[in-house]
Amino acid sequence: MTTFKPPVTVALTGASGAQYALRLIDVLVDAGHEVWVMVSKAAHMVIATETDETLPAAPGRLRDALTARSGAVDGQIRCFGREDWMAPVASGSGAPSAMVICPCSTGTLSAVATGASNNLIERAADVAIKERRRLVMVPRESPFSPIHLEHMLTLSRLGVVILPAAPGFYHRPASIDDLIDFIVARILNQLGIEHTLMPRWGEGGASPSHS
């Protein structure tokens, strides 16, 4: 029986930027972590619009598709449906898991900030907050309204990491993949997971000067 590193929950919601989450899943699999995945209905629409991926909605078929595309071993990826209230992420007594909502829609941001818990993604985030587990939210919107900013401030004060999908350019990206890896690397840093996507500041590569 294969033993995996601690699970990481990855939830995709209906903001632009599905590529970040798909890359994150691949990297977590390569690092040997068990990955628990939830995909909202709106996220499926975004994935179909932004990528060449066709991911099924049914959790079992989604698991099989993600396992095949990431090269995961059997059992490494688990997928949960919108109202799978028996999933471990639905309760604080379930297995502990860091959680990343990537991309995070402003609707999901609002729901988590107000404790709505109307679906499993929102409930899992609520559990992460109440259990003081690591929760990273990757909003992708522009511009942010005062409502969005107030929700982000509320969540940040609760210990949530707000990590906007705003890649930098000081690593001189040569491709879209480099921009994607910039954000994925930042997420992994917040999770304390080692990676080789790009060097940390001052550890290698060209460092720009600042005036």
Side-chain angles (χ1 to χ4, degrees):
M1 181 176 179
T2 304
T3 301
F4 303 114
K5 293 179 182 178
V8 177
T9 299
V10 179
L12 291 74
T13 63
S16 181
Q19 296 89 337
Y20 295 118
L22 295 174
R23 175 62 168 152
L24 177 61
I25 292 170
D26 290 346
V27 174
L28 289 171
V29 165
D30 287 344
H33 286 269
E34 185 174 349
V35 187
W36 298 346
V37 180
M38 295 173 284
V39 183
S40 73
K41 182 177 180 180
H44 277 288
M45 297 175 61
V46 172
I47 292 168
T49 300
E50 295 187 342
T51 77
D52 294 327
E53 304 280 351
T54 301
L55 297 180
R61 294 177 58 210
L62 177 61
R63 175 202 61 218
D64 293 343
L66 290 174
T67 295
R69 76 175 299 280
S70 67
V73 302
D74 289 343
Q76 189 172 7
I77 293 178
R78 298 176 64 185
C79 297
F80 306 108
R82 173 185 172 86
E83 297 182 347
D84 186 357
W85 304 117
M86 296 305 294
V89 295
S91 173
S93 62
S97 168
M99 181 175 184
V100 182
I101 304 179
C102 174
C104 180
S105 68
T106 54
T108 300
L109 188 78
S110 170
V112 175
T114 56
S117 295
N118 287 321
N119 57 54
L120 186 60
I121 292 175
E122 295 169 11
R123 172 57 183 169
D126 193 58
V127 168
I129 292 170
K130 79 182 185 70
E131 298 293 330
R132 304 296 193 268
R133 297 171 184 166
R134 177 62 85 185
L135 173 58
V136 179
M137 302 179 74
V138 185
R140 213 308 309 168
E141 185 60 86
S142 183
F144 289 122
S145 77
I147 296 172
H148 306 150
L149 295 169
E150 287 175 1
H151 287 152
M152 284 187 250
L153 180 58
T154 294
L155 291 165
S156 182
R157 285 173 170 164
L158 294 172
V160 177
V161 175
I162 305 297
L163 198 159
F169 289 83
Y170 56 78
H171 62 308
R172 299 189 179 183
S175 67
I176 291 177
D177 288 343
D178 289 341
L179 296 174
I180 293 170
D181 279 356
F182 183 98
I183 296 300
V184 174
R186 291 298 181 275
I187 296 170
L188 296 171
N189 290 347
Q190 290 298 322
L191 298 176
I193 296 174
E194 294 296 324
H195 63 85
T196 58
L197 297 183
M198 60 180 298
R200 294 176 186 268
W201 183 264
E203 292 184 354
S207 297
S209 60
H210 293 268
S211 57

